[in-house]
């Protein structure tokens, strides 16, 4: 079973995006999921190699912070594909990428 790492900013946006709801959505798609709040430090960096891909749930700042850490990795470290769940107030990055944050999952 593929492993997802959920990197979540629980304070992003105007709505409540519950940890348990996000994990359930990912697991319903057939993935194992490990959760980290990006507001609780950078412990996720030490676990990223265990994942097959990363799900970034937050706004532009959350995406920027995670990607900034990922590009610091050296060329020998595992490359991690990412996906974005836009949950911020502006979501400029997701709009630029054509990701519709208004669609219900």
């Amino acid at each position: 079973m593929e492993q997802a790492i959920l990197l979540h900013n629980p304070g992003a946006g105007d709505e409540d995006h519950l940890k348990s709801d996000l994990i359930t959505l990912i697991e319903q798609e057939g993935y194992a999921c490990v959760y980290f709040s990006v507001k609780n430090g950078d412990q996720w960096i030490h676990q990223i190699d265990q994942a097959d891909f990363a799900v970034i749930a937050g706004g532009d700042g959350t995406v920027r912070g995670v990607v900034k850490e990922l590009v610091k990795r050296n060329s020998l470290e595992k490359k991690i594909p990412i996906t974005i769940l836009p949950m911020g107030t502006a979501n400029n990055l997701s709009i630029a990428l054509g990701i519709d944050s208004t669609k219900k999952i």
Side-chain angles (χ1 to χ4, degrees):
M1 178 178 290
E2 285 191 292
Q3 175 78 44
I5 186 169
L6 174 57
L7 305 172
H8 179 222
N9 178 354
D14 297 331
E15 299 178 32
D16 286 333
H17 303 284
L18 297 177
K19 166 187 172 179
S20 59
D21 292 343
L22 296 172
I23 291 170
T24 299
L25 288 170
I26 292 168
E27 290 177 341
Q28 285 176 342
E29 294 300 319
Y31 301 99
C33 183
V34 62
Y35 175 92
F36 288 91
S37 169
V38 296
K39 292 298 183 184
N40 291 337
D42 61 0
Q43 304 92 332
W44 64 268
I45 295 170
H46 307 293
Q47 296 296 315
I48 196 81
D49 285 333
Q50 305 306 312
D52 294 300
F53 66 98
V55 178
I56 307 170
D60 296 330
T62 304
V63 175
R64 178 186 179 277
V66 170
V67 170
K68 186 176 175 182
E69 288 298 325
L70 292 177
V71 297
K72 288 181 185 177
R73 296 165 59 88
N74 73 47
S75 61
L76 298 177
E77 292 179 284
K78 182 179 177 182
K79 304 301 180 223
I80 305 295
I82 63 170
T83 189
I84 300 169
L85 290 178
M87 297 184 169
T89 51
N91 297 313
N92 292 317
L93 181 60
S94 64
I95 291 167
L97 295 171
I99 300 169
D100 187 351
S101 66
T102 62
K103 283 187 178 179
K104 297 293 180 193
I105 298 175

